Every structure is written in C-alpha cells, then in structure tokens.
Amino acid sequence: MQTQVATVLRGRMELIVKTPAFDSNALVIRLNPLDNVLIARQPLTEGTVLTDEGITVLQAIPSGHKVATVRVEQGQPLRRYGQIIGFASRPIEAGEHVHVQNVEMGDFSRDYAFGVDAHETPQTEAFFQGIVRADGRVATRNYIGILTSVNCSATVARAIADQFRRDIHPEALADYPNVDGVVALTHSSGCAIDSKGEAIDLLRRTLAGYAVHPNFAAVLVVGLGCETNQIQDLLDSQGLKASDQLRAFTIQGTGGTSKTIASGIEQVKSLLPQANRITRETVSARHLIVGLQCGGSDGYSGITANPALGNAVDRLVAAGGTAILSETPEIYGAEHLLTRRATSRAVGEKLVQRIRWWEDYCQRMNAELNNNPSAGNKAGGLTTILEKSLGAVAKAGSTNLVGVYEYAEAVRANGLVFMDTPGYDPVSATGQVAGGANLIAFTTGRGSAYGCAPTPSIKLATNHRVFEFQEEDMDVNCGGIADGSTTIEERGAHIFQMMLDIASGARSKSEQHGYGQNEFVPWHIGAIT
C-alpha cells in the first residue's frame, strides 16, 4: 500500500509517494506535515479519538470536511497542502470543525518567483485515431454546426438542427454514419451592446473560434439582419470569409422564419455527403488540446480526481499535447504555484496581470473573489476560494506553464497553458473550445452534469459516493485514491488512456445523454444598452 502525500518542494506542490498508504481504515487524511487541519475520510462523531494525532474530535464533522490538529489563535493562518487556505476568525481548538463558521479570508504575500521551478519534460509518444482535415488540423468529432450572430435567430437555428436529431428523426442521418450530429449553438447576446467595445470583440472571437473548429465539418451562421453583431462585420473582424463550409444568411434577408428554416435544412442536407466522407487515422497525441474543468468540487477534489487528472496532463504534455487550465477566480491564492513553473517572466507576469484584473473587476462590481465557492462546494467541505484554488491547480500537473491566453483566444502553444475565464463551467469551457480544445476533462465531487458540443467531455468523480450514485454521468471513479485502493499514478494512466479512446471516437457518458447544445455560453462582459 502506498500513500499519495501532497508536499511542498522548493515552493512547488508535488505528489510524493510515501509508505504506509492512505489506509482504508484511517479516519482522517494528513496532506502535509505543515498542515494544522486534517480531512475527514468519513463522518466523525463527537468524542472520536484520533490516536495518531493525539486529539479528540469535539463535534460532528462531515466526510470531506476539516478538523483542527492544534489550537489556532484568531488571525492565525490555517494550512492545507502546506499552503494558506484562510485565517481563523476566532480561536479554534484542537479537534474542532474548521469551516465557514470560524475561517475568513485575509491578505498574505505570495512569492511568484517567476520560473524558478521550470524544468524539462521527458518526451514520449502516444497516438489516437483522429480525423485529419484538409488543412492538416485534427478533429476528434465530426459535426455540422449552426451558430447565431444574435439571440434573435436562436429559435430558427434550433429548428434547423432539430430536423436532424437522431432521437426525433432517426432517418435524417441514417445515410451519414460518420456525421456525429447537427447542433445549434445559440446565445443570449449580439445586440444592444457597444459595436466597437470589449463585449462584442469577445463574442466575435468566441463565435469565430467555433466557426473554424476542426470538430465542425461545416458551419452555418444565422442572423436576424439588423443586429449590432452584423455577420459580415463578424467575419471581417476575425479574418474569415464565407465559403461552402462556412455559410451565412439572415432571417430578414431570406424572407422570414419558415423560409429561413427551410433554407437552413436544405443547406445542411447539401453538406452532409461531403461531411460523411471522412475516415479516422492514426495521429500523434500532440494534436490533442484538452480543456481542464472542475465543477461541483468537494473536499476530496484536490486529493483524488484533480491530482489524477494532473498526472494524465503530465503524460499528455510529455506526448506533445496541450492542456488548457482556466477559471481564473479558481486559481486565486494558488497562482504562485504556476508562476514558479512559467517558462519566462513574461508568461508569469501575464498570469499575475489577469489576477489583478479580476481583483479590480470584483471591486468594481461590489463583489469578492471568495464568493466563488458555491453552496455545494461548502457542503462538500471547501471553505474559501484559497482552499478551492489549491485543489484546482492540481489539475495542471507538474510541467512548465508555457503560455497565457485571453478568453477564446486561439491556443497555438504545445504544453500546459492558461486561459483567462470565469469560474462558471459552461462559460469557461466555451472559451476553451473556442480556443481549440478538442477534448474536455471535467472533475466533480458533488455530481455536476455537463457535456459539450462539438468537443466531447470526460467526467471524473472525486469520491465513491458520487460515482456510484450518479454512475450514469461519470466516466471515471477516482475515489479509490483516498482509501488506498488505487493510486494517482494508476488513475492518471487510466485517464490518459481514456482521453485517447474518447478522442478516437468512443462516446463519453455526457455524449450518450445528448448534452452539449445548451452548454454553449459565451462570456458576456460589458453594458447592455
């Protein structure tokens, strides 16, 4: 038996194998010798004696929650992973439940130490069965997409796509087995915004990223006709041109709703034969771009699924692939663990600049970053954004940070990169896919239900309970890491192989349920006028 113990080595969180293991009979988990909190492996009742720590539990503590190992005075830091997760808002006794009732945020310095932990990554080889497009880009899926320039054309776009739904009209795609589907990705914006402002720039960048995504064999862009986000302006601003594979039209220009729906249906039908003429072939894993997500996180996320995904990311990067870490509010307080791995000072400083932007943004909006943990996060044992962030960055593995990108910006680098996005999963993943992600890996401890189109999403459960109770939505169970029945290394290898399998055409649970169309949510920022 082996234990996966998080420790700090030269300022970097690493997973060090030690003996003995996470014991399935153990009541608590200690993650670092510097920690003054432990994680309950199971519900602890008042009076439970934690013999190895020499403390007695003073009150009931739910599974995944924290118990203090020593008395912590008011204002003193609380540590998990050897890192600060908050400060005692009042004196906390050894054996007491450590959570929102006695923990608060506070300012503390982080040593960004740009690049001091950057290191070479040994190179390996891995392959999957991909779809090679005419321009050499590689797809993991083969959809026809329908995008909208404005919310006003959303109903028409969905009506077109509905004519090709296999669950409603199975005959529509019967002759096109190589086409994964026809999907309408609609949104709530496109008008009543500044025609030259940041909001429309961001929307256009997002739409353009989807319009040229390799997982789409062809795309229709449907507008109303009088919206602020004019289709021609959208194309011109992004350097795109209409073609047989990128078609655009409007409701007003076509002559109304029913005529536009009929035109769209006929255009899709004309595109299907060519879209069906694809074969999968063996390609290098360097063509994989994996967006990293976590939603419905719990106290186990940073112990099990996130570090296991990080292990898979290390394997992906070693094979030449790319991983996109995102959700800027959910690395807050842990960004120094990434800047230390930056390949240059400029890369590290760009990440810090995005953190400062979010601090300013929250101040302007009369909000605070610590509002990020949801009710479910807190019920699962997470207390502050600092604690959530430290677990979240574990998804990024241990390789160098090679680039930092704006929301929906095309990702060109190979290796671990960061994309600035909100923490809200659909908005964040939408930006990643617009940036080129052709696979999503999504960890959850509370049971998040999410899928993505045109990019398949793999769901990783952090604990046995959520995997067993919601198995129809979960692809991988990482719960065994906490009880010693498996290891981060083994789960990481399993997740990486699943990435290759899903990229090769195997269907994830969310795909089987038909998730994806409703989860397209571009980040809206700016005034609606």
Side-chain angles (χ1 to χ4, degrees):
M1 301 280 284
Q2 292 179 320
T3 286
Q4 301 290 334
V5 180
T7 189
V8 177
L9 181 62
R10 290 186 301 141
R12 183 173 72 231
M13 259 199 329
E14 292 187 343
L15 291 164
I16 307 299
V17 178
K18 292 190 176 181
T19 305
F22 280 161
D23 184 350
S24 59
N25 296 316
L27 299 178
V28 292
I29 299 171
R30 172 179 281 279
L31 294 172
N32 188 282
L34 298 177
D35 291 351
N36 52 13
V37 299
L38 305 172
I39 314 304
R41 279 199 62 257
Q42 61 192 57
L44 303 178
T45 58
E46 181 182 349
T48 300
V49 178
L50 304 177
T51 306
D52 290 345
E53 299 290 337
I55 60 175
T56 300
V57 175
L58 300 181
Q59 59 200 137
I61 298 176
S63 176
H65 284 237
K66 299 175 290 297
V67 56
T69 63
V70 296
R71 178 181 168 88
V72 182
E73 299 296 338
Q74 183 175 351
Q76 292 301 301
L78 294 150
R79 295 182 182 272
R80 174 177 173 167
Y81 311 107
Q83 302 283 330
I84 294 173
I85 62 169
F87 298 84
S89 59
R90 60 168 175 76
I92 301 173
E93 299 296 334
E96 191 175 344
H97 183 204
V98 176
H99 201 35
V100 293
Q101 75 280 358
N102 52 20
V103 180
E104 62 186 2
M105 291 282 285
D107 292 330
F108 64 100
S109 62
R110 273 94 82 186
D111 182 6
Y112 291 134
F114 300 109
V116 299
D117 289 330
H119 59 286
E120 290 188 10
T121 299
Q123 297 300 297
T124 61
E125 286 189 328
F127 303 91
F128 70 99
Q129 298 300 303
I131 302 164
V132 181
R133 300 298 187 190
D135 60 4
R137 294 178 306 147
V138 176
T140 61
R141 290 296 183 269
N142 188 41
Y143 283 94
I144 290 176
I146 305 170
L147 303 177
T148 60
S149 61
V150 67
N151 178 254
C152 307
S153 53
T155 297
V156 164
R158 288 186 175 274
I160 296 168
D162 283 349
Q163 291 299 308
F164 301 92
R165 284 178 54 177
R166 285 190 168 96
D167 58 337
I168 299 176
H169 302 287
E171 74 288 350
L173 297 180
D175 295 332
Y176 309 103
N178 295 327
V179 177
D180 289 302
V182 178
V183 293
L185 303 179
T186 64
H187 59 91
S188 61
S189 185
C191 206
I193 55 178
D194 186 349
S195 62
K196 299 184 183 301
E198 183 180 14
I200 200 166
D201 289 345
L202 193 149
L203 175 62
R204 286 173 172 169
R205 191 163 69 231
T206 304
L207 292 171
Y210 275 75
V212 300
H213 198 286
N215 282 7
F216 280 133
V219 169
L220 307 182
V221 182
V222 185
L224 174 61
C226 59
E227 60 270 23
T228 303
N229 187 30
Q230 290 286 296
I231 292 178
Q232 192 58 54
D233 292 341
L234 161 64
L235 298 178
D236 291 345
S237 70
Q238 302 302 310
L240 302 179
K241 293 184 180 297
S243 66
D244 194 48
Q245 279 69 49
L246 179 56
R247 303 182 181 185
F249 52 99
T250 68
I251 297 170
Q252 293 170 355
T254 307
T257 297
S258 59
K259 291 177 182 178
T260 307
I261 293 170
S263 174
I265 291 171
E266 289 306 310
Q267 291 188 61
V268 171
K269 287 180 178 179
S270 73
L271 291 166
L272 284 170
Q274 181 62 34
N276 193 58
R277 295 191 192 103
I278 58 100
T279 57
R280 288 185 178 270
E281 58 186 90
T282 302
V283 295
S284 169
R286 67 182 177 85
H287 295 291
L288 276 182
I289 304 176
V290 181
L292 310 178
Q293 290 290 321
C294 55
S297 300
D298 69 351
Y300 291 111
S301 294
I303 301 172
T304 61
N306 286 354
L309 178 53
N311 183 279
V313 165
D314 286 351
R315 297 168 188 270
L316 172 68
V317 171
T322 300
I324 309 174
L325 181 67
S326 298
E327 302 177 299
T328 312
E330 296 182 15
I331 66 158
Y332 185 72
E335 70 273 13
H336 59 293
L337 301 177
L338 297 171
T339 60
R340 299 175 71 92
R341 291 154 49 188
T343 53
S344 70
R345 185 179 185 91
V347 169
E349 286 182 337
K350 188 171 182 180
L351 180 62
V352 175
Q353 287 170 5
R354 300 320 301 163
I355 293 288
R356 299 293 175 255
W357 183 92
W358 276 93
E359 289 175 333
D360 179 66
Y361 179 60
C362 287
Q363 185 177 31
R364 285 187 284 115
M365 296 297 174
N366 196 29
E368 60 179 56
L369 283 165
N370 197 42
N371 284 335
N372 175 276
S374 68
N377 295 153
K378 293 174 182 177
L382 296 176
T383 304
T384 67
I385 187 55
L386 303 177
E387 181 179 16
K388 186 176 180 180
S389 294
L390 288 163
V393 297
K395 301 192 302 294
S398 63
T399 62
N400 294 341
L401 178 68
V402 301
V404 175
Y405 290 86
E406 300 290 333
Y407 183 86
E409 185 180 357
V411 173
R412 306 297 186 191
N414 289 81
L416 173 67
V417 303
F418 187 85
M419 177 179 285
D420 181 30
T421 77
Y424 184 38
D425 311 313
V427 178
S428 179
T430 295
Q432 291 175 330
V433 175
N438 51 19
L439 195 65
I440 297 289
F442 192 122
T443 68
T444 182
R446 303 295 292 174
S448 174
Y450 173 82
C452 188
T455 295
S457 175
I458 305 170
K459 193 64 62 64
L460 316 175
T462 73
N463 60 78
H464 292 308
R465 183 199 63 79
V466 74
F467 182 82
E468 293 166 359
F469 190 69
Q470 204 173 332
E471 187 172 358
E472 63 181 31
D473 296 310
M474 300 295 118
D475 297 288
V476 181
N477 182 11
C478 297
I481 294 170
D483 63 23
S485 60
T486 189
T487 65
I488 287 173
E489 182 81 7
E490 185 280 330
R491 286 289 85 182
H494 178 74
I495 293 165
F496 181 53
Q497 184 59 53
M498 179 166 282
M499 288 178 179
L500 300 176
D501 292 343
I502 297 293
S504 298
R507 298 178 71 210
S508 68
K509 295 286 184 68
S510 63
E511 288 183 288
Q512 294 170 32
H513 287 301
Y515 279 98
Q517 291 194 110
N518 296 315
E519 289 74 19
F520 175 72
V521 188
W523 185 12
H524 179 75
I525 184 170
I528 298 290
T529 57

